Amino acid sequence: MGLTIKAHGKINLTLDVLSRRPDGYHDVEMIMQSIALHDTLRIEDQEEEIMLTAAGQPVSIDEDNLIIKAARLLQQQTGTQRGAKIHLQKEIPVAAGLAGGSTDAAATLRGLNELWQLGLSRKQLMELGVRLGADVPFCLLGGTAIARGIGEELTPLPAAPNFGVVLVKPAFGVSTAAVYRGLNVASLRQHPRTNSMVDALRFGQLSAVADELGNVLESVTLGLYPELQEIKETLTEVGCQGVLMSGSGPTIFGLTEDAAAAIKLARQLALPNCKVVATAMV
Ligand code: ATP
Protein backbone atom coordinates (compact mmCIF):
# COMPACT_ATOMS: atom_id res chain seq x y z
CA MET A 1 0.00 0.00 0.00
CA GLY A 2 1.24 3.50 -0.74
CA LEU A 3 0.34 7.10 -1.35
CA THR A 4 1.70 10.20 -3.05
CA ILE A 5 1.70 13.56 -1.27
CA LYS A 6 2.50 17.09 -2.39
CA ALA A 7 4.58 19.20 0.01
CA HIS A 8 4.14 22.89 -0.84
CA GLY A 9 6.73 25.58 -0.16
CA LYS A 10 5.90 28.95 1.41
CA ILE A 11 6.86 32.59 1.21
CA ASN A 12 6.54 35.19 3.97
CA LEU A 13 4.44 38.17 2.92
CA THR A 14 5.41 39.76 6.24
CA LEU A 15 7.95 38.72 8.85
CA ASP A 16 8.32 40.66 12.09
CA VAL A 17 10.44 39.69 15.09
CA LEU A 18 8.96 40.93 18.37
CA SER A 19 11.46 39.75 20.96
CA ARG A 20 14.20 37.30 21.77
CA ARG A 21 13.07 34.71 24.30
CA PRO A 22 15.22 33.40 27.17
CA ASP A 23 15.38 29.99 25.42
CA GLY A 24 17.07 31.59 22.38
CA TYR A 25 14.02 31.38 20.12
CA HIS A 26 12.36 34.55 18.86
CA ASP A 27 8.74 35.58 19.11
CA VAL A 28 7.60 36.41 15.61
CA GLU A 29 4.54 37.68 13.80
CA MET A 30 4.38 36.75 10.15
CA ILE A 31 1.96 36.20 7.32
CA MET A 32 2.74 32.89 5.69
CA GLN A 33 1.59 32.00 2.21
CA SER A 34 1.71 28.60 0.49
CA ILE A 35 3.01 28.50 -3.06
CA ALA A 36 2.33 26.04 -5.87
CA LEU A 37 5.99 24.96 -6.00
CA HIS A 38 6.12 21.63 -4.19
CA ASP A 39 8.16 18.54 -3.43
CA THR A 40 6.48 15.17 -3.96
CA LEU A 41 6.71 12.30 -1.50
CA ARG A 42 5.89 8.74 -2.52
CA ILE A 43 5.34 6.70 0.65
CA GLU A 44 5.08 2.90 0.74
CA ASP A 45 4.16 0.97 3.86
CA GLN A 46 6.63 -1.65 5.11
CA GLU A 47 7.70 -3.42 8.32
CA GLU A 48 9.51 -1.28 10.93
CA GLU A 49 12.39 0.23 8.92
CA ILE A 50 12.36 3.81 7.57
CA MET A 51 14.11 4.13 4.19
CA LEU A 52 14.59 7.34 2.20
CA THR A 53 15.70 7.96 -1.38
CA ALA A 54 15.68 11.32 -3.18
CA ALA A 55 15.99 12.88 -6.63
CA GLY A 56 15.99 16.46 -7.94
CA GLN A 57 17.54 19.25 -5.84
CA PRO A 58 20.44 17.81 -3.84
CA VAL A 59 19.58 17.07 -0.20
CA SER A 60 20.96 14.73 2.45
CA ILE A 61 19.05 11.45 2.83
CA ASP A 62 20.69 10.61 6.15
CA GLU A 63 19.23 10.67 9.66
CA ASP A 64 19.35 14.50 9.61
CA ASN A 65 16.68 14.66 6.89
CA LEU A 66 13.47 15.96 8.44
CA ILE A 67 11.48 13.22 6.67
CA ILE A 68 13.34 10.55 8.63
CA LYS A 69 13.09 12.60 11.84
CA ALA A 70 9.33 13.01 11.34
CA ALA A 71 8.81 9.30 10.70
CA ARG A 72 10.88 8.30 13.75
CA LEU A 73 9.05 10.79 15.95
CA LEU A 74 5.72 9.32 14.88
CA GLN A 75 6.99 5.78 15.55
CA GLN A 76 8.21 6.76 19.02
CA GLN A 77 5.05 8.63 19.96
CA THR A 78 2.58 5.99 18.82
CA GLY A 79 4.59 2.81 19.37
CA THR A 80 3.63 1.55 15.91
CA GLN A 81 5.61 -1.36 14.47
CA ARG A 82 5.12 -0.04 10.94
CA GLY A 83 7.92 1.36 8.78
CA ALA A 84 8.01 3.10 5.41
CA LYS A 85 9.92 3.38 2.17
CA ILE A 86 9.84 7.05 1.14
CA HIS A 87 10.96 8.61 -2.13
CA LEU A 88 11.38 12.39 -2.21
CA GLN A 89 11.25 14.29 -5.48
CA LYS A 90 12.88 17.53 -4.31
CA GLU A 91 11.87 20.63 -6.28
CA ILE A 92 12.03 23.30 -3.55
CA PRO A 93 15.54 24.76 -3.27
CA VAL A 94 17.26 23.79 0.01
CA ALA A 95 18.21 26.32 2.76
CA ALA A 96 16.33 28.92 0.76
CA GLY A 97 13.76 30.45 3.14
CA LEU A 98 10.96 28.47 1.45
CA ALA A 99 10.39 25.95 4.29
CA GLY A 100 11.54 23.05 2.11
CA GLY A 101 12.51 20.85 5.03
CA SER A 102 9.50 21.78 7.17
CA THR A 103 7.03 21.02 4.39
CA ASP A 104 8.59 17.59 3.81
CA ALA A 105 8.30 16.90 7.55
CA ALA A 106 4.65 18.01 7.49
CA ALA A 107 3.88 15.82 4.46
CA THR A 108 5.54 12.84 6.17
CA LEU A 109 3.42 13.32 9.31
CA ARG A 110 0.23 13.58 7.23
CA GLY A 111 1.11 10.69 4.96
CA LEU A 112 2.18 8.26 7.67
CA ASN A 113 -0.78 9.18 9.88
CA GLU A 114 -2.99 8.01 7.02
CA LEU A 115 -0.93 5.04 5.86
CA TRP A 116 -0.36 3.65 9.35
CA GLN A 117 -3.97 4.48 10.29
CA LEU A 118 -2.89 6.28 13.46
CA GLY A 119 -5.97 8.50 13.66
CA LEU A 120 -4.11 11.55 14.98
CA SER A 121 -5.92 14.87 14.58
CA ARG A 122 -4.37 17.79 12.70
CA LYS A 123 -3.91 19.53 16.05
CA GLN A 124 -1.97 16.52 17.38
CA LEU A 125 0.16 16.42 14.24
CA MET A 126 0.88 20.14 14.66
CA GLU A 127 1.95 19.62 18.28
CA LEU A 128 4.37 16.92 17.15
CA GLY A 129 5.44 18.95 14.11
CA VAL A 130 6.64 22.00 16.04
CA ARG A 131 9.27 19.78 17.69
CA LEU A 132 10.77 19.28 14.24
CA GLY A 133 10.67 22.92 13.16
CA ALA A 134 8.77 26.15 13.81
CA ASP A 135 7.33 26.20 10.26
CA VAL A 136 6.00 22.62 10.34
CA PRO A 137 2.58 23.51 11.88
CA PHE A 138 1.97 26.08 9.13
CA CYS A 139 2.95 23.55 6.48
CA LEU A 140 0.32 21.18 7.92
CA LEU A 141 -2.28 23.93 7.61
CA GLY A 142 -1.31 25.52 4.26
CA GLY A 143 -2.99 28.45 2.50
CA THR A 144 -2.61 31.87 4.11
CA ALA A 145 -2.18 32.35 7.86
CA ILE A 146 -0.78 34.62 10.54
CA ALA A 147 1.88 32.82 12.57
CA ARG A 148 2.83 34.01 16.04
CA GLY A 149 4.81 32.57 18.97
CA ILE A 150 7.82 30.89 17.38
CA GLY A 151 5.60 30.32 14.34
CA GLU A 152 3.32 27.64 15.76
CA GLU A 153 0.38 29.81 16.90
CA LEU A 154 -1.65 30.00 13.72
CA THR A 155 -4.61 32.10 12.69
CA PRO A 156 -5.93 31.01 9.28
CA LEU A 157 -6.86 33.83 6.89
CA PRO A 158 -9.33 33.77 3.99
CA ALA A 159 -7.84 32.42 0.75
CA ALA A 160 -5.60 35.08 -0.82
CA PRO A 161 -5.63 35.95 -4.53
CA ASN A 162 -3.56 33.60 -6.69
CA PHE A 163 -0.88 36.19 -7.46
CA GLY A 164 2.06 34.99 -9.52
CA VAL A 165 5.40 34.59 -7.74
CA VAL A 166 8.85 34.74 -9.34
CA LEU A 167 11.44 33.10 -7.08
CA VAL A 168 15.15 33.77 -7.42
CA LYS A 169 17.43 31.55 -5.36
CA PRO A 170 21.18 32.27 -5.54
CA ALA A 171 23.60 29.33 -5.57
CA PHE A 172 24.36 29.65 -1.83
CA GLY A 173 22.12 28.71 1.10
CA VAL A 174 21.60 30.65 4.32
CA SER A 175 21.57 29.38 7.89
CA THR A 176 18.42 30.65 9.63
CA ALA A 177 20.26 30.56 12.99
CA ALA A 178 23.10 32.75 11.64
CA VAL A 179 20.64 35.36 10.38
CA TYR A 180 18.82 35.51 13.73
CA ARG A 181 22.19 35.88 15.49
CA GLY A 182 22.82 38.98 13.35
CA LEU A 183 19.50 40.57 14.31
CA ASN A 184 19.31 43.21 17.03
CA VAL A 185 15.61 43.26 17.88
CA ALA A 186 15.87 46.37 20.08
CA SER A 187 17.32 48.42 17.22
CA LEU A 188 14.50 47.68 14.75
CA ARG A 189 12.92 50.96 13.72
CA GLN A 190 10.42 49.71 11.18
CA HIS A 191 8.02 46.81 11.53
CA PRO A 192 5.73 45.29 8.89
CA ARG A 193 2.06 46.17 9.48
CA THR A 194 0.44 42.77 9.85
CA ASN A 195 -3.13 44.10 10.07
CA SER A 196 -2.69 46.29 6.99
CA MET A 197 -1.45 43.27 5.04
CA VAL A 198 -4.49 41.26 6.18
CA ASP A 199 -6.71 44.09 4.85
CA ALA A 200 -4.73 44.33 1.59
CA LEU A 201 -5.11 40.58 1.01
CA ARG A 202 -8.83 40.78 1.65
CA PHE A 203 -9.11 43.73 -0.73
CA GLY A 204 -7.21 41.66 -3.29
CA GLN A 205 -5.33 44.41 -5.09
CA LEU A 206 -1.74 43.53 -5.96
CA SER A 207 -0.39 47.08 -5.53
CA ALA A 208 -1.80 47.25 -1.98
CA VAL A 209 -0.28 43.86 -1.08
CA ALA A 210 3.03 44.95 -2.63
CA ASP A 211 3.04 48.10 -0.46
CA GLU A 212 2.64 46.09 2.75
CA LEU A 213 5.38 43.50 2.12
CA GLY A 214 8.03 43.59 4.84
CA ASN A 215 10.64 41.34 6.46
CA VAL A 216 12.87 42.54 9.32
CA LEU A 217 15.42 39.81 8.55
CA GLU A 218 16.01 41.17 5.06
CA SER A 219 18.55 43.83 6.03
CA VAL A 220 20.52 41.26 8.06
CA THR A 221 20.80 38.79 5.17
CA LEU A 222 21.40 41.58 2.63
CA GLY A 223 24.22 42.81 4.89
CA LEU A 224 25.81 39.34 4.71
CA TYR A 225 25.20 38.94 0.96
CA PRO A 226 25.06 42.37 -0.77
CA GLU A 227 24.52 40.69 -4.17
CA LEU A 228 20.90 40.08 -3.09
CA GLN A 229 20.24 43.80 -3.56
CA GLU A 230 21.00 43.44 -7.28
CA ILE A 231 18.52 40.57 -7.53
CA LYS A 232 15.87 42.75 -5.88
CA GLU A 233 16.55 45.57 -8.33
CA THR A 234 16.46 43.23 -11.34
CA LEU A 235 13.09 41.79 -10.30
CA THR A 236 11.69 45.31 -9.98
CA GLU A 237 13.15 46.33 -13.36
CA VAL A 238 11.47 43.44 -15.20
CA GLY A 239 8.11 44.45 -13.74
CA CYS A 240 7.47 42.55 -10.51
CA GLN A 241 5.26 44.70 -8.30
CA GLY A 242 6.40 43.77 -4.80
CA VAL A 243 9.86 42.34 -4.18
CA LEU A 244 10.99 40.85 -0.88
CA MET A 245 13.26 38.24 0.68
CA SER A 246 11.43 35.15 1.98
CA GLY A 247 12.09 33.95 5.55
CA SER A 248 15.76 34.26 6.46
CA GLY A 249 16.63 34.09 2.76
CA PRO A 250 18.39 34.01 0.50
CA THR A 251 15.43 33.54 -1.91
CA ILE A 252 14.04 36.81 -3.23
CA PHE A 253 10.50 36.77 -4.59
CA GLY A 254 8.58 39.18 -6.80
CA LEU A 255 4.80 39.28 -7.15
CA THR A 256 2.81 39.54 -10.39
CA GLU A 257 -0.91 39.58 -11.24
CA ASP A 258 -1.01 35.86 -12.01
CA ALA A 259 1.05 32.75 -12.78
CA ALA A 260 1.17 33.51 -16.53
CA ALA A 261 2.74 36.93 -15.86
CA ALA A 262 5.27 35.29 -13.51
CA ILE A 263 6.28 32.81 -16.25
CA LYS A 264 6.69 35.66 -18.75
CA LEU A 265 8.79 37.79 -16.39
CA ALA A 266 10.91 34.84 -15.27
CA ARG A 267 11.91 34.22 -18.92
CA GLN A 268 13.33 37.75 -19.14
CA LEU A 269 15.63 37.31 -16.17
CA ALA A 270 19.31 36.87 -16.90
CA LEU A 271 20.73 36.15 -13.45
CA PRO A 272 23.85 33.99 -13.58
CA ASN A 273 24.24 31.33 -10.87
CA CYS A 274 20.63 31.74 -9.74
CA LYS A 275 17.72 29.32 -9.89
CA VAL A 276 14.63 31.10 -11.20
CA VAL A 277 11.18 29.54 -10.66
CA ALA A 278 7.81 30.94 -11.73
CA THR A 279 5.01 29.83 -9.42
CA ALA A 280 1.90 31.24 -7.74
CA MET A 281 0.26 31.75 -4.34
CA VAL A 282 -2.12 28.87 -3.53
P1 ATP B 1 12.73 27.71 6.66
O1 ATP B 1 12.14 28.62 5.62
O2 ATP B 1 11.73 26.82 7.35
O3 ATP B 1 13.69 28.38 7.60
P2 ATP B 1 14.60 26.89 4.68
O4 ATP B 1 13.83 26.87 3.40
O5 ATP B 1 15.43 28.09 4.95
O6 ATP B 1 13.62 26.63 5.88
P3 ATP B 1 15.34 24.15 4.39
O7 ATP B 1 15.28 23.92 2.92
O8 ATP B 1 14.26 23.60 5.21
O9 ATP B 1 15.56 25.69 4.72
O10 ATP B 1 16.77 23.60 4.85
C1 ATP B 1 17.31 23.93 6.10
C2 ATP B 1 18.24 22.79 6.52
O11 ATP B 1 17.46 21.61 6.76
C3 ATP B 1 19.27 22.45 5.46
O12 ATP B 1 20.54 22.58 6.02
C4 ATP B 1 18.98 21.00 5.09
O13 ATP B 1 20.15 20.24 4.98
C5 ATP B 1 18.13 20.47 6.24
N1 ATP B 1 17.09 19.50 5.80
C6 ATP B 1 16.72 18.42 6.47
N2 ATP B 1 15.75 17.76 5.83
C7 ATP B 1 15.47 18.45 4.72
C8 ATP B 1 14.56 18.25 3.64
N3 ATP B 1 13.72 17.20 3.59
N4 ATP B 1 14.54 19.17 2.67
C9 ATP B 1 15.37 20.25 2.74
N5 ATP B 1 16.25 20.47 3.71
C10 ATP B 1 16.32 19.57 4.71
Side-chain angles (χ1 to χ4, degrees), residues 39-91:
D39 295 340
T40 305
L41 280 77
R42 175 73 200 159
I43 309 181
E44 312 273 348
D45 198 18
Q46 67 173 12
E47 297 289 323
E48 242 168 291
E49 218 186 325
I50 304 293
M51 290 159 64
L52 176 65
T53 54
Q57 301 285 313
V59 65
S60 153
I61 51 166
D62 300 333
E63 290 293 316
D64 61 339
N65 193 298
L66 285 166
I67 291 176
I68 298 191
K69 287 189 178 174
R72 296 226 188 285
L73 181 63
L74 217 44
Q75 282 181 324
Q76 281 159 16
Q77 291 298 309
T78 62
T80 177
Q81 299 298 309
R82 304 305 307 161
K85 204 155 73 174
I86 305 175
H87 181 73
L88 167 65
Q89 180 64 39
K90 186 89 198 150
E91 301 297 341

Side-chain angles (χ1 to χ4, degrees), residues 10 59 64-66 90 93-102 104 135 176:
K10 63 87 185 154
V59 65
D64 61 339
N65 193 298
L66 285 166
K90 186 89 198 150
V94 174
L98 301 172
S102 301
D104 291 347
D135 288 343
T176 302

Side-chain angles (χ1 to χ4, degrees), residues 8 17 22 38 48 74 80 84 107 141 143 161 195 207 215 229 242 260:
H8 288 273
V17 180
H38 62 272
E48 242 168 291
L74 217 44
T80 177
L141 183 71
N195 290 339
S207 59
N215 179 346
Q229 187 59 42

Side-chain angles (χ1 to χ4, degrees), residues 203-214:
F203 191 50
Q205 203 178 18
L206 177 55
S207 59
V209 171
D211 284 347
E212 297 302 335
L213 292 173

Side-chain angles (χ1 to χ4, degrees), residues 11 13 33-36 144 160-165 201 255 279-282:
I11 53 173
L13 298 176
Q33 174 64 54
S34 293
I35 53 176
T144 312
N162 298 118
F163 294 137
V165 182
L201 287 168
L255 299 182
T279 184
M281 291 170 36
V282 287

